[in-house]
Amino acid sequence: MYAQMVKSTGQGVKPREEMSEEERHFQDRVDAGEKIEPKDWMPEGYRKTLIRQIAQHAHSEVVGQLPEGNWITRAPTLERKAILLAKVQDEAGHGLYLYCAAETLGVSRDDLTEALLSGKMKYSSIFNYPTLNWADIGAVGWLVDGAAIMNQVPLQRTSFGPYSRAMIRICKEESFHQRQGYDIMMKMAQGTPEQKRMAQEAINRFWYPSLMMFGPSDKDSVHSAQSMAWKIKINTNDELRQKFVDQTVPQAEYLGLTVPDPDLKWNEETGHYDFSEPDWAEFYEVLKGNGPCNTERLEARRKAWEDGAWVRDGLMAHAEKRAARTAAQ
Ligand code: FAQ
């Protein structure tokens, strides 16, 4: 089921002269900046690419609750606990907006969840890293949400209407998330030497995994060329990674902390920071399921799905009963 509905292979961009009339008309609409809506004609590859990307994104939001949810009971103050609780709940909401956007493409949430649980669909590599202490919660908010916003702000202009509208709502909340993370880092960086050391170690742990969130380097990206031609993606993976580094390094300096990259330096000529690539072998291992927390994350999702079966069954029974009552009236 999943393979037929969702799996799209990476492909080059189809030359205009090889396009059908419908495909040419579609491409003209995309090029003119028109939004594509669910009932509009679209190439099968466009639909499959969107389902893959939107659903992976939705899964990431939901799995992404786990590393932070783990710290709600241990937040250092009542205020921090309330803020973290709100943030984690926001991520669940983002997952819902995105699953709804994917459903407009003719795929069910149940199928997508099964594809996640069977390992056929991915979620962001970043959520396979553990959050070891409170400083890691600051680093997740600052770096992980910071990378997420960098990727998601351009996606507000993505060509598919429901995805674009979901991204507009999500981005509003993500900026609050990034700022709460930076606020935690600031507090720790200005705290005792031990707290400052914890903050530095958190950057050391999360820097490269955050850079990996943008996907493989452009030369190895399978989908970017076609996705950009369809304006599903607006920027390449490397463009966004560079923007993230340029934005984040001064923020680390302001905290009095260092980025764990001995080769990091400002390049006067390019007007950007030069930086070291993440370890791509590690990235692909995490994608294969061999990251530090892959098994734990999927187990947690599987348990939540199984434990929630009675709620879904109850809601379905209620909906069916209501529909039968309405039909009888
Ligand atoms: N992790 O050809 P490309 C968040 C896969 S934000 C895992 O370059 P594409 C907020 C890719 O799927 C995080 N897999 O692929 C939050 C493909 O494999 P496939 C989620 C990755 O799609 C914060 C293969 O590698 N954000 O959750 C990753 O053109 C805090 C080749 O790559 C989004 O999903 C990765 N990092 O570009 C929540 C944003 N990177 O599918 C809680 C929307 C690549 O062929 C707490 N997505 N792969 O088997 C996108 O913008 C794109 O999908 C990219 C990847 C940029 C992620």
Side-chain angles (χ1 to χ4, degrees), residues 126-324:
I126 189 71
F127 302 118
N128 292 308
Y129 291 86
T131 43
L132 301 179
N133 60 33
W134 180 250
D136 284 4
I137 298 305
V140 168
W142 171 40
L143 299 175
V144 175
D145 285 275
I149 301 172
M150 194 54 84
N151 170 279
Q152 288 168 192
V153 165
L155 287 177
Q156 295 177 105
R157 290 180 284 121
T158 191
S159 59
F160 186 57
Y163 192 23
S164 159
R165 292 188 284 275
M167 292 316 308
I168 292 169
R169 294 182 67 175
I170 290 174
C171 282
K172 289 204 173 98
E173 292 172 354
E174 291 292 13
S175 18
F176 151 67
H177 295 173
Q178 197 262 356
R179 292 194 61 165
Q180 67 86 36
Y182 196 69
D183 189 59
I184 293 174
M185 294 304 280
M186 187 100 84
K187 200 74 182 173
M188 298 211 56
Q190 291 168 353
T192 62
E194 171 69 357
Q195 285 167 329
K196 188 167 181 183
R197 187 181 60 76
M198 283 168 71
Q200 181 60 55
E201 286 174 4
I203 304 191
N204 296 351
R205 278 191 287 276
F206 277 92
W207 176 252
Y208 286 107
S210 300
L211 296 188
M212 292 176 194
M213 286 175 71
F214 297 95
S217 54
D218 290 352
K219 64 178 173 26
D220 297 318
S221 169
V222 188
H223 303 290
S224 284
Q226 182 61 78
S227 289
M228 287 176 74
W230 279 329
K231 294 195 184 157
I232 290 175
K233 279 169 87 165
I234 308 296
N235 301 93
T236 73
N237 301 350
D238 285 339
E239 279 168 6
L240 293 175
R241 198 172 359 257
Q242 181 71 60
K243 276 182 95 167
F244 174 74
V245 172
D246 290 348
Q247 176 186 283
T248 310
V249 171
Q251 294 174 353
E253 281 167 2
Y254 187 76
L255 291 171
L257 301 173
T258 52
V259 168
D261 177 356
D263 296 328
L264 181 92
K265 64 170 189 310
W266 177 251
N267 184 327
E268 210 52 69
E269 251 169 59
T270 60
H272 297 288
Y273 283 95
D274 293 334
F275 62 96
S276 310
E277 295 269 310
D279 177 353
W280 292 117
E282 176 184 318
F283 171 74
Y284 286 112
E285 275 305 305
V286 174
L287 260 55
K288 273 197 271 171
N290 301 325
C293 298
N294 293 60
T295 310
E296 188 185 326
R297 300 295 186 233
L298 273 185
E299 277 300 306
R301 289 310 311 148
R302 194 168 292 118
K303 183 171 183 315
W305 185 245
E306 284 163 10
D307 289 354
W310 68 273
V311 180
R312 294 192 299 280
D313 290 348
L315 285 172
M316 283 311 289
H318 177 69
E320 276 161 22
K321 215 167 155 185
R322 244 178 102 167

